[in-house]
Amino acid sequence: MTNIPLYGTTHPTQTDAAREQAPKRSLLELTQEELADYVKSLGQPAYRARQIWDWIYKRYAADFASMTNLPAALRTRLEAEATVSPLTPIAEVVSADGNTQKVLFQLPDGQSIEAVLMLYERRRTLCISSQAGCGMGCTFCATAQGGLARNLTAGEIVAQVLYFARYLATPHAPPAMEVERPTHVTNIVLMGMGEPMHNYKNVWTALRRLTDPEAFGLGARHITLSTVGLIPMIDRMAEEGLQIGLAVSLHAPNDEIRSQLVPINRRYPVAELLAAVQRYIEKTHRRVTFEYALMRGINDAPELALELAQKLKPLLCHVNVIPLNPIPDSPYQPTSDAETRRFVQILNENGVPATVRLRRGIEINAGCGQLRRAMAA
């Protein structure tokens, strides 16, 4: 994998006690073949592996005790030496309108990550994390302020989806939200903590598990991966053959502003990034989304909207204009509703499709990294 410079500080927090304790085997890290080998090592027939696999990925079992078609002795042994999920929820908040739920999870080594469930009229969308922290250093992002601790494993990425799939499938499970259950996950966006392209191997292992009909089985077109613009990885993604959506966090139409907001732009400037997106479109024939978080007095001027339109018009794309979820005491604050509408109007009038993303969960720190930051304060 191409070496990517990190912006920010790495802060490992694993304790001596955690290192000394023998970790349980996480079954979410295993392929079907590896799970079969593990079950065989326990002296069990091959079909037991298929039963366990179905309990995890089709029935969203939270523990081995619920796997009632397994022998009691096997369930006891699995409970002693393995785990279904590496995540422990440590904080949970629901928005006042009941449409957004955010959960802060602790990982086995003490690190923490966030994931968000957002309810729309027909969609049940998850925003999941790919890293504990982030090394890209975007100046307006709460996650970036803590630096990068480590990459998530493929199993830790998948576990976030299974947690909420279990919640949606279980009638009356707390917390209460404005959703009639049972229902199911319809969409996934990798727009939570971390830069997915900086954890490429584990992210794509997780994506193949999530789209595999034999596993979670969500259609690839219902998943979107967001990147700040790691060009080598965009080119690599174009060769994957899986119809995962690509979103690029642009936030400015030129290098002067973007380099201040997104430091990786100094290595991969706007012109080169847009050329990579064009290559991606030519290879995949898929529309790309550009994310543009509007910040008052920084990137929201009408002339910047016009400049953005001129640069994006040749591309098969859509602009997702995002009202910023502000960090307290930050110089980056959201643009007014009127200025937001004007920005979008300029894009549309100049041939670039653009819409405003519905802001969700502002009062519950639903922006990337905000709940984690608040809990650490």
Side-chain angles (χ1 to χ4, degrees), residues 29 87 107 109 111-114 128-133 148-158 160 193 199 201-203:
E29 306 298 342
L87 307 181
L107 305 176
D109 63 356
Q111 295 294 339
S112 60
I113 59 169
E114 300 172 349
I128 63 174
S129 296
S130 56
Q131 295 179 307
L148 175 67
R150 67 170 174 86
N151 286 333
L152 299 188
T153 67
E156 289 167 341
I157 296 169
V158 171
Q160 298 169 70
M193 293 173 56
N199 186 18
K201 181 180 178 181
N202 291 344
V203 163

Side-chain angles (χ1 to χ4, degrees), residues 113-135:
I113 59 169
E114 300 172 349
V116 183
L117 167 63
M118 295 169 287
L119 306 178
Y120 300 89
E121 185 175 354
R122 294 185 178 87
R123 290 177 289 130
R124 311 286 180 253
T125 299
L126 303 184
C127 180
I128 63 174
S129 296
S130 56
Q131 295 179 307
C134 185

Side-chain angles (χ1 to χ4, degrees), residues 229-343:
L230 307 189
I231 290 176
M233 302 299 104
I234 292 174
D235 288 331
R236 185 174 173 183
M237 179 174 170
E239 304 292 333
E240 288 290 346
L242 197 61
Q243 294 184 321
I244 301 294
L246 173 64
V248 177
S249 295
L250 194 60
H251 307 309
N254 58 59
D255 292 331
E256 180 181 1
I257 299 174
R258 191 168 193 265
S259 291
Q260 296 173 20
L261 300 174
V262 185
I264 197 68
N265 189 75
R266 298 166 195 159
R267 179 166 182 177
Y268 302 122
V270 171
E272 294 179 21
L273 175 57
L274 296 184
V277 171
Q278 180 61 49
R279 292 193 299 272
Y280 175 88
I281 293 169
E282 291 172 352
K283 177 70 177 181
T284 65
H285 308 292
R286 292 185 58 76
R287 185 178 72 168
V288 171
T289 297
F290 286 99
E291 297 167 306
Y292 198 104
L294 283 178
M295 303 169 219
R296 186 174 65 235
I298 295 174
N299 66 349
D300 61 349
E303 56 268 27
L304 293 177
L306 183 58
E307 182 181 0
L308 181 66
Q310 292 168 342
K311 291 184 177 181
L312 298 188
K313 188 173 181 179
L315 302 176
L316 177 62
C317 70
H318 175 269
V319 178
N320 197 359
V321 176
I322 306 168
L324 186 71
N325 270 351
I327 304 170
D329 303 320
S330 169
Y332 303 103
Q333 294 299 313
T335 297
S336 70
D337 291 345
E339 293 300 309
T340 298
R341 288 192 296 269
R342 182 170 66 161
F343 197 94

Side-chain angles (χ1 to χ4, degrees), residues 24 43 85 143 151 167 225 227 257 276 308 331:
K24 290 185 176 183
S85 174
T143 300
N151 286 333
Y167 167 79
L225 183 156
T227 177
I257 299 174
L308 181 66

Side-chain angles (χ1 to χ4, degrees), residues 203-234:
V203 163
W204 278 88
T205 298
L207 290 176
R208 295 192 181 281
R209 188 79 50 79
L210 291 169
T211 56
D212 183 354
E214 293 294 308
F216 189 71
L218 184 64
R221 294 187 179 189
H222 296 278
I223 302 176
T224 299
L225 183 156
S226 176
T227 177
V228 294
L230 307 189
I231 290 176
M233 302 299 104
I234 292 174

